[in-house]
Each structure stands twice: as C-alpha cells, then as structure tokens.
Amino acid sequence: MITWLSFVLLSLATFRLTRLIVYDKITGFIRAPFFEVEEKWLPDGSIEETVMFKGNGWKRWIGELLRCHWCTGIWSSLFLFLGFHFYSTIFIPIIIVLAVAGVASIIEVIISYFI
C-alpha cells in the first residue's frame, strides 16, 4: 500500500524527472540521436520550434516519446514506482532528491511570475 507521503513524493519526482528528460539542456545528449529542434524567433518576440525526427521505426518512436511530456511522464512514473516498490533502498534517495528539485522548480516559477 502506498502512503500519501509516498504518492506526493513520487508525483513530484515524476514531474521533475519528466522535465529533466524532455526539456532540460543537461539531458540534450539523450534526445540528440532521435530529433533536432530548430528555433526561429518571430517578429512578435515569440519562438517557433520546428522538430525534425531522425530515422524511422523505433528511432522515430523513441524521438516522439522523448518529445512528449505526457508520454515520458507515464514511463517516468512507472520507472520510479517500480524502483520504489522493488528497490526502495536505492530509489528512495533518488525520489527524494527529484521531489525536492520539483518543489524548487515550482517555487522558482511562482517567484518569477511575481517578479
């Protein structure tokens, strides 16, 4: 049985791991073999992104998975939950670190909104 604390920690850790995989520059090397993103600045100051997937079949499928935060979120949550359930000694510290980083990123977004 999962406790509320475990649920909250897993949720925050999944949020942070998903963002880490899909968006953060530090994990760009994971995404690079599967797709490229070309950014174009528009006159109104916004950015238009064009995604070019590399390859076909499995390679394209993995690229589409890594580009979709909903898809990656499912797999991240499954990975963390199974790790928590079967290898808790190893995964609990990882989950706690990711959860704390998730809370920190949420706080940063809130503070940035008001500054």
Side-chain angles (χ1 to χ4, degrees):
M1 188 72 181
I2 191 167
T3 66
W4 279 102
L5 178 60
S6 298
F7 177 77
V8 170
L9 287 174
L10 282 166
S11 298
L12 290 166
T14 297
F15 162 73
R16 189 62 198 108
L17 181 60
T18 300
R19 299 232 12 123
L20 183 68
I21 293 169
V22 176
Y23 298 110
D24 289 357
K25 288 184 181 185
I26 195 169
T27 55
F29 70 95
I30 295 171
R31 299 182 301 270
F34 304 103
F35 65 87
E36 284 182 24
V37 177
E38 184 179 297
E39 294 181 345
K40 181 180 177 183
W41 287 88
L42 301 177
D44 66 356
S46 63
I47 300 173
E48 178 181 79
E49 291 185 345
T50 304
V51 179
M52 292 153 292
F53 292 102
K54 299 176 182 178
N56 295 311
W58 282 100
K59 192 169 187 175
R60 182 178 178 94
W61 181 79
I62 292 171
E64 289 175 356
L65 174 74
L66 292 174
R67 184 68 183 151
C68 171
H69 66 270
W70 300 109
C71 306
T72 304
I74 292 289
W75 292 106
S76 295
S77 65
L78 183 63
F79 171 73
L80 291 173
F81 177 75
L82 291 175
F84 173 76
H85 185 71
F86 292 110
Y87 304 101
S88 58
T89 304
I90 297 168
F91 272 77
I92 287 176
I94 295 167
I95 290 167
I96 291 171
V97 168
L98 287 169
V100 169
V103 171
S105 66
I106 292 168
I107 291 170
E108 178 61 33
V109 168
I110 291 169
I111 289 173
S112 296
Y113 178 77
F114 290 110
I115 290 181

